[in-house]
Amino acid sequence: MKSSVLTNLVLKPFNWLRKIRGLKLVYTPLLAIVLFTLVMGIILGTLQLQDKGQQEAALFRELSFAKQRIQLRFSNNTESLNTINREIAASSDDMKLKQLVREQSNDLVQNNQEIVKIIWLDADSSRVWSVPISNPKSDWIGKHQNDQAINEALSSAIELSRVTNRTSFSQFISLDFAGSQPVAKDRRTVFWQVAPNIVGGQAIGFLAALYTTQGILDVIPAELKAHYRFTLLSDNDRVLAISSDRNTPKRAFSNQTSLDIGVLSPNIVLRIDTYPPPTDLTFRMLIGVVLGLSVFVIWSLWSVLKQMQVRQEAEANLRTETSFRNAMENSTPVGIRAHDMQKRITYVNRAFCEMTGWTAKELIGLTPPFPFWPDSKRDELVEKMNRVLRSEIDLKNGIEGSIMRRDGTMIQTRTFIAPLINEKGKQTGWVTSLIDISEPKKIREELAASQERFITVLEGLDAAVSVVDLENDKLLFANRFYRENFGDDSKGHFMLAGNADDLQTLHDVAEDLQDSPPGIPTSFLYQESESEEIQLSDGSNKWYEVRHRFIPWVDGRLAQLLIATDISVRKEAEELSRQQEERMQFTSRLTTMGEMASSLAHELNQPLSAISNYCMGVAKRLEGNSDPAVTKEILPALEKASEQAHRAGTIIQRIRGFVKRSEPQRKSTTIAEIINDAVGLVEIEAHRHRLAITSNIADNLPTVDIDPVLILQVLVNLLKNGLDSTREAYPLSSRWSAPPVAISADLDTSIFPAMLRIQVSDGGAGIPESVSERMFEPFFSTKSDGMGMGLNICRSIIESHHGRLWAVNRMDQEQTKLSGCTFTILLPLVSPEATEAMGAKENI
């Protein structure tokens, strides 16, 4: 008895410990489920409150946007009505402007769905005209019995506008439609907006626009009306218009605001109601799912509690090992499969299944021949597999082969095989791993084909391509053209690349890069030089256009790539073209001289006549009178005769200098003198055709090194073309309004270095696009008596000065038609010869 009591006393604490441990295992997950349920409830409630706040904020934002759209539309409409009023005031005597005003009013009605009619009333409130004349949008107005209400509302709005001299609005008019009319629903409520036309403080008329409240809602975007219901209300909560008849749920959110469309407008309230999604069902389903999952987990815990204690340790170890092995196998793109001693597949990883397109369940248990082997190679693969398993084939580098996916596509693989040894050291099978080499093999094949194509293209080029190692001057690559013309060494490369000093510099750069840290600076590479034209000094007199750049060779060495194109034929053609252009320039000068002969004769006739008259007067006075006082009267006449003779001589000297043929000779010249001479030569012809020439020369322009005779020829030609264009655009009767032909000179500082800019602008009809594409071509002319060489020679002269010449059409202020053309000349401030001379002095 005592022993049993002692036993109970000793075992009782251990029993309590076991119970506490069991309770801990049971109630800990239960407590976690309860806490999880509470947290989920709090989160769902918080989300619901947050969603409600977001919906209210979005509702207010969309209401503000809709209000802004409506206010902006009314503001634009009011501005349009005031604009039309100004046009009406200006079109009192002009029928064309009156018609334009009606068209503007009609466009306003057609482009604004809220306006159905616009009426113009005179100062006595009598209707003068209305728009649109016939339009389904407004025809319904005359088809109901509400004319009296509409006219009364219009009269009251006009009177209010007359008193205040401001835009006013009428009260809302509820229309009563007879029968079922299609517009009855959309335009049941209307109102007038009246804009007075004030001239000199008095109203000369009123412009009235009839609005529909339903049309105001059409200003709101359709996507907003699809998610919200918009309602227009009056002060007494009377519904003026509604965007949808669909009812909103009881828990829908709403908000409203006053529109304030005008100072003298009735108060309109815009209300917005939401169509919230059915979130209640979703929320309840989430709560049900959470509770259901909690109950299910509690029940599951009770069912697995007994087995948990026994299997916990074993499962933990197995889970760790399995996770490690799965992570290894799933992280590798290598396909792995295992075979037993009967060659049956016992295991495949995920990569192998993805590689073949077969699932693990379909592959495990299969024996050779396998379904992923190509049908045409199954016997060969069975034999090869037997030889591999008997170790008759060296597996150091693997076996290259191919497998067929389930969809029939082939992939190239490399297979490695290793024996599978168990814990007792006995072989139980084999493990094979497959690597997909389709893409690398395809890339290698494409690279080989690309290299072959590249070499073929280089060999077929009619240009010398060579690559030279800058460390040892060794020729690394040369195409066919280079080998045929320069041999198999690098002499031709350096002969084309530059002189011996440049070669030594390249050697020094290569040595510095070799001593520097690994890698060639990218800033040094890929800097392609400007193309150079080089004439060989080997007696062949061939010309080559040469480009070269530095590149890293395949082994990392610095190399120079050179491409030389034979341009001997082009240089010969350019020389022939230059000679031809010189002859054409002389012909053009003679032609221009012939055209100006009549003008010069007229100009010279006046000073020569004056000289003759003054001389005759002197002779008559000297015949009969030798008084000394006569001498005082004779001297002024002689001075005037001398001035006129000097003027005639100056004009003749200009013509002789212009016609005289000479080689281009550059000299430091002031561009203002050339422009003044050109204007003086052409101004005679301009006055004869009742046209004018203006010049605008910037101050402090530097002198430029140019051939003044050639540049004068260019400016005279461009001025004459401008006069011809203006003369064709303006007949003789209207040339008093023709703009003058303008010539200007300044510095263009938008480019570097700055250049001298000369522009000749005319007010003619511009140059058609078809002509502008060819106007600089030789022998192309739009004149019946033109040779087509003027502009071509002008461009040749400018380009011989290393400048540019181009033409740009100008548009009128409305940007609807051409209003003239501007020829622009850019000339360098310093000639290339002077630049080279300065560089030579600095080198010395």
Coordinates of all heavy atoms in Angstrom, one line a residue, residues 213-285:
T213 N -29.7 71.1 -70.9 CA -29.0 70.6 -69.7 C -28.4 69.2 -69.9 O -27.3 68.9 -69.4 CB -29.9 70.6 -68.5 OG1 -31.1 69.8 -68.8 CG2 -30.4 72.0 -68.1
Q214 N -29.0 68.4 -70.7 CA -28.5 67.1 -71.0 C -27.2 67.2 -71.8 O -26.3 66.4 -71.7 CB -29.6 66.3 -71.8 CG -29.2 64.8 -71.9 CD -29.3 64.1 -70.5 OE1 -30.0 64.5 -69.7 NE2 -28.4 63.2 -70.3
G215 N -27.2 68.2 -72.7 CA -25.9 68.4 -73.5 C -24.8 68.9 -72.6 O -23.6 68.6 -73.0
I216 N -25.1 69.5 -71.5 CA -24.0 69.9 -70.6 C -23.3 68.7 -70.0 O -22.1 68.6 -69.9 CB -24.5 70.8 -69.5 CG1 -25.0 72.1 -70.0 CG2 -23.4 71.1 -68.4 CD1 -25.7 73.0 -69.0
L217 N -24.1 67.6 -69.7 CA -23.5 66.4 -69.2 C -22.7 65.7 -70.3 O -21.8 64.9 -70.0 CB -24.6 65.5 -68.7 CG -25.4 65.9 -67.5 CD1 -26.4 64.9 -67.0 CD2 -24.4 66.1 -66.3
D218 N -23.0 65.9 -71.6 CA -22.2 65.3 -72.6 C -20.8 65.8 -72.7 O -19.9 65.3 -73.3 CB -22.9 65.5 -74.0 CG -24.2 64.8 -74.1 OD1 -24.4 63.8 -73.3 OD2 -25.1 65.2 -74.9
V219 N -20.5 67.0 -72.0 CA -19.2 67.5 -72.0 C -18.3 66.6 -71.1 O -17.1 66.5 -71.4 CB -19.2 68.9 -71.4 CG1 -17.8 69.5 -71.3 CG2 -20.0 69.8 -72.3
I220 N -18.9 65.9 -70.2 CA -18.1 65.0 -69.3 C -17.7 63.8 -70.1 O -18.5 63.2 -70.9 CB -19.0 64.6 -68.1 CG1 -19.4 65.8 -67.3 CG2 -18.2 63.6 -67.2 CD1 -20.4 65.5 -66.2
P221 N -16.4 63.3 -70.1 CA -16.0 62.2 -70.8 C -16.8 60.9 -70.6 O -17.3 60.7 -69.5 CB -14.5 62.0 -70.4 CG -14.1 63.3 -69.9 CD -15.3 63.9 -69.3
A222 N -17.0 60.1 -71.6 CA -17.8 58.9 -71.5 C -17.2 57.9 -70.5 O -18.0 57.2 -69.9 CB -17.9 58.3 -72.9
E223 N -15.9 57.9 -70.4 CA -15.4 56.9 -69.5 C -15.7 57.2 -68.0 O -15.8 56.3 -67.2 CB -13.8 56.8 -69.6 CG -13.1 58.1 -69.5 CD -12.9 58.8 -70.8 OE1 -13.7 58.5 -71.7 OE2 -12.0 59.6 -70.9
L224 N -15.9 58.5 -67.7 CA -16.3 58.9 -66.4 C -17.8 58.5 -66.2 O -18.2 58.0 -65.1 CB -16.1 60.4 -66.1 CG -14.7 60.9 -65.9 CD1 -14.7 62.3 -65.6 CD2 -14.1 60.1 -64.7
K225 N -18.6 58.8 -67.2 CA -20.0 58.5 -67.0 C -20.3 57.0 -67.0 O -21.3 56.5 -66.5 CB -20.8 59.1 -68.2 CG -20.8 60.6 -68.2 CD -21.8 61.2 -69.1 CE -21.3 61.1 -70.6 NZ -22.2 61.8 -71.5
A226 N -19.3 56.2 -67.5 CA -19.5 54.7 -67.4 C -19.3 54.2 -66.0 O -19.8 53.2 -65.6 CB -18.5 54.0 -68.3
H227 N -18.5 55.0 -65.1 CA -18.2 54.6 -63.8 C -19.0 55.3 -62.7 O -19.2 54.9 -61.6 CB -16.7 54.7 -63.4 CG -15.8 53.8 -64.2 ND1 -15.4 54.1 -65.5 CD2 -15.4 52.6 -64.0 CE1 -14.6 53.2 -66.0 NE2 -14.6 52.2 -65.1
Y228 N -19.6 56.5 -63.1 CA -20.3 57.4 -62.2 C -21.6 57.9 -62.9 O -21.6 58.0 -64.1 CB -19.4 58.6 -61.7 CG -18.1 58.2 -61.1 CD1 -17.0 58.2 -61.9 CD2 -18.0 57.8 -59.8 CE1 -15.7 57.8 -61.4 CE2 -16.8 57.5 -59.2 CZ -15.7 57.5 -60.0 OH -14.5 57.2 -59.5
R229 N -22.5 58.2 -62.0 CA -23.8 58.8 -62.5 C -23.7 60.3 -62.2 O -23.6 60.6 -61.0 CB -25.0 58.1 -61.9 CG -26.3 58.7 -62.6 CD -27.5 58.0 -62.0 NE -27.8 58.4 -60.6 CZ -28.8 58.0 -59.9 NH1 -29.6 57.1 -60.4 NH2 -28.9 58.3 -58.6
F230 N -23.9 61.1 -63.2 CA -23.8 62.6 -63.0 C -25.2 63.1 -63.1 O -26.0 62.7 -64.0 CB -22.9 63.3 -64.0 CG -21.5 62.9 -63.8 CD1 -20.9 61.8 -64.4 CD2 -20.6 63.7 -63.0 CE1 -19.6 61.5 -64.2 CE2 -19.3 63.4 -62.8 CZ -18.8 62.3 -63.4
T231 N -25.6 64.1 -62.2 CA -26.9 64.7 -62.2 C -26.8 66.2 -62.1 O -26.0 66.7 -61.2 CB -27.8 64.1 -61.0 OG1 -27.7 62.7 -61.1 CG2 -29.2 64.6 -61.2
L232 N -27.6 66.9 -62.9 CA -27.6 68.4 -62.7 C -28.9 68.7 -62.0 O -30.0 68.3 -62.3 CB -27.7 69.1 -64.1 CG -26.3 69.0 -64.9 CD1 -26.5 69.7 -66.3 CD2 -25.2 69.6 -64.1
L233 N -28.8 69.5 -60.9 CA -29.9 69.9 -60.0 C -30.0 71.4 -59.9 O -29.0 72.1 -60.0 CB -29.7 69.3 -58.6 CG -29.5 67.8 -58.5 CD1 -29.1 67.4 -57.1 CD2 -30.7 67.1 -58.9
S234 N -31.2 71.9 -59.7 CA -31.4 73.3 -59.5 C -31.4 73.6 -58.0 O -31.1 72.7 -57.2 CB -32.8 73.7 -60.1 OG -33.8 73.0 -59.4
D235 N -31.7 74.8 -57.6 CA -31.6 75.2 -56.2 C -32.6 74.4 -55.3 O -32.3 74.1 -54.2 CB -31.9 76.7 -56.0 CG -30.8 77.5 -56.5 OD1 -29.6 77.0 -56.6 OD2 -31.0 78.7 -56.9
N236 N -33.7 74.1 -55.9 CA -34.7 73.3 -55.1 C -34.7 71.8 -55.4 O -35.6 71.1 -55.3 CB -36.1 73.8 -55.5 CG -36.4 73.8 -57.0 OD1 -35.5 73.4 -57.8 ND2 -37.6 74.2 -57.5
D237 N -33.5 71.4 -55.7 CA -33.2 69.9 -55.9 C -34.0 69.4 -57.1 O -34.3 68.2 -57.1 CB -33.4 69.1 -54.6 CG -32.4 69.4 -53.6 OD1 -31.3 69.9 -53.9 OD2 -32.7 69.2 -52.4
R238 N -34.3 70.2 -58.0 CA -35.1 69.7 -59.2 C -34.1 69.1 -60.2 O -33.0 69.7 -60.5 CB -35.8 70.9 -59.8 CG -36.4 70.6 -61.2 CD -36.9 71.8 -61.8 NE -37.1 71.7 -63.2 CZ -37.2 72.7 -64.1 NH1 -37.2 73.9 -63.6 NH2 -37.4 72.5 -65.4
V239 N -34.3 67.9 -60.6 CA -33.4 67.2 -61.6 C -33.6 67.9 -62.9 O -34.6 67.9 -63.6 CB -33.8 65.7 -61.6 CG1 -32.9 65.0 -62.6 CG2 -33.6 65.1 -60.3
L240 N -32.4 68.4 -63.4 CA -32.4 69.0 -64.7 C -31.9 68.1 -65.8 O -32.4 68.1 -66.9 CB -31.5 70.3 -64.7 CG -31.8 71.3 -63.7 CD1 -30.8 72.4 -63.7 CD2 -33.2 71.9 -64.0
A241 N -31.0 67.2 -65.5 CA -30.5 66.2 -66.4 C -29.8 65.1 -65.6 O -29.3 65.4 -64.5 CB -29.5 66.9 -67.4
I242 N -29.7 64.0 -66.2 CA -29.1 62.8 -65.5 C -28.4 62.0 -66.6 O -28.9 61.8 -67.7 CB -30.1 62.0 -64.8 CG1 -29.4 61.0 -63.9 CG2 -31.1 61.4 -65.7 CD1 -30.3 60.3 -62.9
S243 N -27.2 61.5 -66.3 CA -26.4 60.8 -67.3 C -26.9 59.4 -67.5 O -26.6 58.8 -68.5 CB -24.9 60.8 -66.9 OG -24.8 60.1 -65.6
S244 N -27.5 58.8 -66.5 CA -28.0 57.4 -66.7 C -29.2 57.1 -65.8 O -29.3 57.7 -64.7 CB -26.8 56.4 -66.3 OG -27.3 55.1 -66.3
D245 N -30.1 56.3 -66.2 CA -31.2 55.9 -65.5 C -31.0 54.8 -64.5 O -31.9 54.3 -63.8 CB -32.4 55.6 -66.4 CG -32.8 56.8 -67.2 OD1 -32.7 58.0 -66.7 OD2 -33.3 56.6 -68.3
R246 N -29.8 54.2 -64.6 CA -29.5 53.1 -63.8 C -29.4 53.5 -62.3 O -28.8 54.5 -62.0 CB -28.2 52.5 -64.2 CG -27.8 51.1 -63.5 CD -26.6 50.5 -64.1 NE -25.4 51.4 -63.9 CZ -24.2 51.0 -64.3 NH1 -24.0 49.8 -64.8 NH2 -23.2 51.8 -64.1
N247 N -30.1 52.7 -61.5 CA -30.1 53.0 -60.0 C -28.8 52.7 -59.4 O -28.1 51.7 -59.8 CB -31.2 52.2 -59.3 CG -32.6 52.6 -59.8 OD1 -32.8 53.8 -60.1 ND2 -33.5 51.7 -59.9
T248 N -28.4 53.5 -58.4 CA -27.2 53.2 -57.6 C -27.5 52.4 -56.4 O -28.6 52.6 -55.8 CB -26.5 54.5 -57.3 OG1 -27.4 55.3 -56.5 CG2 -26.1 55.3 -58.5
P249 N -26.6 51.6 -55.9 CA -26.8 50.9 -54.7 C -27.0 51.8 -53.5 O -26.7 53.0 -53.5 CB -25.6 50.0 -54.5 CG -25.0 50.0 -55.9 CD -25.3 51.2 -56.5
K250 N -27.6 51.2 -52.4 CA -27.8 52.0 -51.2 C -26.5 52.5 -50.6 O -26.5 53.5 -49.9 CB -28.6 51.2 -50.2 CG -30.0 50.9 -50.7 CD -30.8 50.1 -49.6 CE -32.2 49.7 -50.1 NZ -33.0 49.0 -49.1
R251 N -25.5 51.7 -50.7 CA -24.2 52.1 -50.1 C -23.3 52.9 -51.0 O -22.1 53.0 -50.8 CB -23.5 50.8 -49.6 CG -24.2 50.0 -48.6 CD -23.4 48.8 -48.2 NE -22.1 49.1 -47.6 CZ -21.2 48.2 -47.3 NH1 -21.4 46.9 -47.5 NH2 -20.1 48.6 -46.8
A252 N -23.9 53.4 -52.1 CA -23.0 54.2 -53.0 C -22.6 55.5 -52.4 O -23.3 56.1 -51.6 CB -23.8 54.4 -54.3
F253 N -21.5 56.0 -52.9 CA -21.0 57.3 -52.4 C -21.4 58.4 -53.4 O -21.6 58.1 -54.6 CB -19.4 57.3 -52.4 CG -18.9 56.2 -51.4 CD1 -18.4 55.0 -52.0 CD2 -18.8 56.4 -50.1 CE1 -17.9 54.1 -51.1 CE2 -18.3 55.5 -49.2 CZ -17.8 54.3 -49.7
S254 N -21.6 59.6 -52.8 CA -22.1 60.7 -53.6 C -21.4 62.0 -53.1 O -21.0 62.0 -52.0 CB -23.6 60.8 -53.6 OG -24.1 61.1 -52.3
N255 N -21.4 63.0 -54.0 CA -20.9 64.3 -53.7 C -21.5 65.3 -54.7 O -21.9 64.9 -55.8 CB -19.4 64.3 -53.7 CG -18.8 65.4 -52.9 OD1 -19.4 66.4 -52.6 ND2 -17.5 65.3 -52.6
Q256 N -21.5 66.5 -54.3 CA -22.0 67.5 -55.2 C -21.3 68.9 -55.0 O -20.7 69.1 -54.0 CB -23.6 67.7 -55.0 CG -23.9 68.2 -53.6 CD -25.5 68.3 -53.4 OE1 -26.2 67.5 -54.1 NE2 -25.9 69.1 -52.6
T257 N -21.4 69.7 -56.1 CA -20.8 71.0 -56.0 C -21.5 71.9 -57.0 O -22.2 71.5 -57.9 CB -19.3 70.9 -56.5 OG1 -18.7 72.2 -56.4 CG2 -19.2 70.4 -57.9
S258 N -21.4 73.2 -56.7 CA -22.0 74.3 -57.5 C -21.1 74.6 -58.7 O -19.9 74.7 -58.6 CB -22.3 75.5 -56.7 OG -22.9 76.5 -57.5
L259 N -21.8 74.7 -59.9 CA -21.0 74.9 -61.1 C -20.5 76.3 -61.3 O -19.3 76.6 -61.7 CB -21.8 74.5 -62.4 CG -22.0 73.0 -62.6 CD1 -22.8 72.7 -63.8 CD2 -20.7 72.2 -62.6
D260 N -21.3 77.4 -61.0 CA -20.9 78.8 -61.1 C -20.4 79.0 -62.5 O -19.3 79.4 -62.8 CB -19.8 79.1 -60.1 CG -20.2 79.0 -58.7 OD1 -21.4 79.2 -58.4 OD2 -19.3 78.6 -57.9
I261 N -21.4 78.8 -63.5 CA -21.0 79.0 -64.9 C -21.0 80.4 -65.4 O -20.5 80.8 -66.4 CB -22.0 78.2 -65.8 CG1 -23.4 78.7 -65.6 CG2 -21.9 76.7 -65.5 CD1 -24.4 78.0 -66.5
G262 N -21.5 81.4 -64.6 CA -21.5 82.8 -65.0 C -22.0 83.6 -63.8 O -22.6 83.2 -62.8
V263 N -21.8 85.0 -64.0 CA -22.2 85.9 -62.9 C -23.7 86.0 -62.9 O -24.3 86.0 -61.8 CB -21.5 87.3 -63.2 CG1 -22.0 88.3 -62.1 CG2 -20.0 87.2 -63.2
L264 N -24.3 86.1 -64.0 CA -25.8 86.3 -64.1 C -26.5 85.0 -64.5 O -27.4 85.0 -65.2 CB -26.1 87.4 -65.1 CG -25.5 88.7 -64.8 CD1 -25.9 89.7 -65.9 CD2 -26.0 89.3 -63.4
S265 N -26.0 83.9 -64.0 CA -26.5 82.6 -64.4 C -27.3 82.0 -63.2 O -26.9 82.3 -62.0 CB -25.4 81.6 -64.8 OG -24.6 81.4 -63.7
P266 N -28.3 81.2 -63.4 CA -29.0 80.4 -62.3 C -28.0 79.4 -61.7 O -27.1 78.9 -62.4 CB -30.1 79.8 -63.0 CG -29.7 79.6 -64.4 CD -28.9 80.8 -64.7
N267 N -28.2 79.1 -60.5 CA -27.4 78.2 -59.8 C -27.6 76.8 -60.2 O -28.8 76.3 -60.3 CB -27.6 78.3 -58.3 CG -26.5 77.5 -57.5 OD1 -25.4 77.3 -58.0 ND2 -26.9 77.1 -56.3
I268 N -26.6 76.1 -60.6 CA -26.7 74.7 -61.1 C -25.7 73.9 -60.2 O -24.6 74.2 -60.0 CB -26.3 74.5 -62.6 CG1 -27.1 75.4 -63.5 CG2 -26.4 73.1 -63.0 CD1 -26.8 75.3 -64.9
V269 N -26.3 72.8 -59.7 CA -25.5 71.9 -58.8 C -25.2 70.6 -59.6 O -26.1 70.0 -60.2 CB -26.3 71.6 -57.5 CG1 -25.5 70.6 -56.7 CG2 -26.6 72.8 -56.7
L270 N -24.0 70.2 -59.6 CA -23.5 69.0 -60.2 C -23.3 67.9 -59.1 O -22.5 68.1 -58.2 CB -22.2 69.2 -61.0 CG -21.6 67.9 -61.6 CD1 -22.6 67.4 -62.7 CD2 -20.3 68.2 -62.3
R271 N -24.0 66.8 -59.3 CA -24.0 65.7 -58.3 C -23.4 64.5 -59.0 O -23.7 64.2 -60.1 CB -25.4 65.4 -57.7 CG -25.4 64.2 -56.7 CD -26.7 64.1 -56.1 NE -26.8 62.9 -55.2 CZ -27.8 62.6 -54.4 NH1 -28.9 63.4 -54.4 NH2 -27.8 61.6 -53.6
I272 N -22.6 63.8 -58.2 CA -22.0 62.5 -58.7 C -22.3 61.4 -57.8 O -22.2 61.6 -56.5 CB -20.4 62.7 -58.9 CG1 -19.8 61.5 -59.5 CG2 -19.8 63.1 -57.6 CD1 -18.4 61.7 -59.8
D273 N -22.7 60.2 -58.3 CA -23.0 59.0 -57.6 C -22.1 57.9 -58.1 O -21.9 57.8 -59.4 CB -24.5 58.7 -57.6 CG -25.3 59.8 -57.0 OD1 -25.3 60.0 -55.8 OD2 -26.0 60.4 -57.8
T274 N -21.7 57.0 -57.3 CA -20.8 55.9 -57.7 C -21.6 54.7 -58.0 O -22.8 54.5 -57.5 CB -19.8 55.6 -56.6 OG1 -20.5 55.1 -55.5 CG2 -18.9 56.8 -56.3
Y275 N -21.0 53.8 -58.9 CA -21.5 52.5 -59.1 C -20.5 51.5 -58.5 O -19.6 51.0 -59.2 CB -21.7 52.2 -60.6 CG -22.8 53.0 -61.2 CD1 -22.4 54.0 -62.2 CD2 -24.1 52.9 -60.9 CE1 -23.4 54.8 -62.8 CE2 -25.1 53.7 -61.5 CZ -24.7 54.6 -62.5 OH -25.7 55.4 -63.1
P276 N -20.5 51.4 -57.2 CA -19.4 50.6 -56.6 C -19.5 49.1 -57.0 O -20.6 48.6 -57.2 CB -19.6 50.8 -55.1 CG -21.0 51.0 -54.9 CD -21.4 51.8 -56.2
P277 N -18.3 48.5 -57.1 CA -18.3 47.0 -57.5 C -18.9 46.3 -56.3 O -18.9 46.7 -55.1 CB -16.9 46.7 -57.7 CG -16.1 47.8 -56.9 CD -17.0 49.0 -57.0
P278 N -19.4 45.1 -56.5 CA -19.9 44.2 -55.4 C -18.9 43.7 -54.5 O -18.5 42.6 -54.6 CB -20.7 43.1 -56.2 CG -19.9 43.0 -57.5 CD -19.5 44.4 -57.8
T279 N -18.3 44.7 -53.7 CA -17.2 44.3 -52.8 C -17.7 43.5 -51.5 O -16.9 42.8 -50.9 CB -16.5 45.5 -52.3 OG1 -17.4 46.4 -51.7 CG2 -15.8 46.2 -53.5
D280 N -19.0 43.7 -51.2 CA -19.5 43.0 -50.0 C -19.4 41.5 -50.1 O -18.9 40.8 -49.1 CB -20.9 43.4 -49.7 CG -21.1 44.9 -49.4 OD1 -20.1 45.5 -49.0 OD2 -22.2 45.4 -49.6
L281 N -19.7 40.9 -51.3 CA -19.6 39.5 -51.4 C -18.2 39.0 -51.3 O -17.9 38.0 -50.7 CB -20.3 39.1 -52.8 CG -20.2 37.6 -53.1 CD1 -21.0 36.8 -52.1 CD2 -20.8 37.3 -54.5
T282 N -17.3 39.8 -51.9 CA -15.9 39.4 -51.9 C -15.4 39.4 -50.4 O -14.7 38.5 -50.0 CB -15.1 40.3 -52.7 OG1 -15.6 40.3 -54.1 CG2 -13.6 39.9 -52.8
F283 N -15.7 40.4 -49.7 CA -15.3 40.6 -48.3 C -15.8 39.4 -47.5 O -15.1 38.8 -46.7 CB -15.8 41.9 -47.8 CG -15.3 42.2 -46.4 CD1 -14.0 42.5 -46.1 CD2 -16.2 42.1 -45.3 CE1 -13.6 42.8 -44.8 CE2 -15.8 42.3 -44.0 CZ -14.5 42.7 -43.8
R284 N -17.1 39.1 -47.7 CA -17.6 38.0 -46.9 C -17.0 36.6 -47.3 O -16.8 35.8 -46.4 CB -19.2 37.9 -47.1 CG -19.9 39.2 -46.5 CD -21.3 39.2 -46.9 NE -22.0 40.4 -46.3 CZ -23.3 40.7 -46.6 NH1 -24.0 39.9 -47.3 NH2 -23.8 41.8 -46.1
M285 N -16.7 36.5 -48.6 CA -16.1 35.2 -49.0 C -14.7 35.1 -48.4 O -14.3 34.0 -48.0 CB -16.0 35.2 -50.5 CG -17.3 35.0 -51.2 SD -17.2 34.9 -53.0 CE -16.1 33.5 -53.2

